[in-house]
Amino acid sequence: MADERARYFRELRRLRRGARRWTVLGGGLTGAAAVLTPYAGLGLPDAAWAGAAGSAVALAAWRWLDLRAHAARPAPPALDPAEAAARSRARLVAAVERLPAGQGVLAEVRRARSRLALRGTSVAEPWARLDRAALTLGGMTGQLTGLAEPAVLEAAAADRSLRELAGRVASVERALRLAPADARAPLAGAHRELSGQLESGVSAYERLVVAAAGYLAEDARPSSEHAAASRLAEATDLLHGVASALAELRTVGDPLRAPTR
């Protein structure tokens, strides 16, 4: 969404420039008509001068009325800097997403920003494992159809839940560093419990990705020899047979030639 305040003043400047331009033009044409009409007498060109001058003056009057009406409206309030930055960021993100590889670039930027925010915490390693597993599963999502579709939906929900849990663990860990000695014990216990849940969740997600890869491998494995390989073998045998037949024809055909004199 564009800045309404900037749009208001931009429209005000446009109307002011138009009013001034038509005022100058109307004054010039009116002066020319006032000078040239008595100089050469009334005629068809004088009607053209007078008509152009009248039209310019009328347009100038309309432009000044539009300017006054627009200036009478109060200007929209200025945007909060945070809101203005958020709108600019949203416009930039929308522009990048329209590019051919924009969504992939944005996803990589978000992952890098998340990894940077978790650097120095115990969550960094499980988060990196989750990222690798999610990227691997994302490459297989288009092929996981049919019976595997519910597993894909469950994996997407688990990914969001695990990332939220990782952020919670990181927050507790940062608070643990600042907590006084008498408050460390409860926070440390909560941190251990949440870390254990995160570790088990990431391991389960990795096992799901491995199972998805096994499903694809079994689904693509043919029950017998691949059709293309069997057709190539048949074509090879056929060519060998043709070559052998041609060789026999050459060896047998020479003795049957008529003798030359």
Side-chain angles (χ1 to χ4, degrees):
M1 182 184 297
D3 186 357
E4 297 294 334
R5 185 177 177 86
R7 182 184 298 174
Y8 172 87
F9 286 108
R10 188 165 56 246
E11 182 68 14
L12 188 67
R13 289 192 297 270
R14 187 186 69 81
L15 290 173
R16 184 179 290 113
R17 286 195 302 268
R20 290 174 177 174
R21 183 169 56 250
W22 283 108
T23 300
V24 171
L25 183 60
L29 290 175
T30 302
V35 171
L36 293 176
T37 299
Y39 179 78
L42 295 175
L44 187 60
D46 301 308
W49 280 108
S55 300
V57 170
L59 283 172
W62 280 111
R63 289 292 180 268
W64 282 110
L65 289 175
D66 293 340
L67 176 61
R68 289 184 61 184
H70 186 75
R73 298 202 305 265
L79 281 178
D80 182 70
E83 185 178 357
R87 291 187 179 186
S88 300
R89 186 165 53 250
R91 286 196 295 269
L92 178 61
V93 169
V96 173
E97 283 181 343
R98 286 193 292 270
L99 298 176
Q103 293 185 355
V105 171
L106 287 176
E108 184 59 33
V109 168
R110 292 189 183 103
R111 283 195 294 268
R113 186 175 59 186
S114 300
R115 287 195 299 267
L116 183 62
L118 298 174
R119 181 180 296 177
T121 65
S122 60
V123 183
E125 193 270 335
W127 184 278
R129 289 167 50 198
L130 182 60
D131 261 349
R132 289 193 297 267
L135 287 174
T136 304
L137 185 62
M140 298 185 291
T141 300
Q143 305 170 23
L144 294 172
T145 56
L147 297 176
E149 288 184 0
V152 174
L153 298 177
E154 185 65 28
D159 180 77
R160 291 190 297 268
S161 177
L162 288 173
R163 293 184 189 277
E164 181 183 354
L165 178 60
R168 193 177 305 172
V169 174
S171 300
V172 173
E173 184 173 341
R174 294 189 183 100
L176 184 60
R177 297 171 183 172
L178 304 175
D182 55 348
R184 283 179 176 273
L187 276 179
H191 180 264
R192 283 193 302 271
E193 183 179 353
L194 292 176
S195 298
Q197 292 178 6
L198 178 63
E199 181 65 29
S200 61
V202 172
S203 300
Y205 192 91
E206 290 173 335
R207 288 194 296 270
L208 174 64
V209 174
V210 172
Y215 171 83
L216 286 182
E218 291 297 331
D219 188 55
R221 180 185 299 176
S223 56
S224 58
E225 188 180 10
H226 198 276
S230 61
R231 286 196 298 270
L232 287 175
E234 292 174 1
T236 303
D237 294 338
L238 177 62
L239 289 176
H240 280 307
V242 171
S244 301
L246 290 176
E248 291 179 3
L249 285 175
R250 282 197 298 270
T251 57
V252 173
D254 289 340
L256 297 180
R257 289 180 182 175
T260 57
R261 297 180 181 179

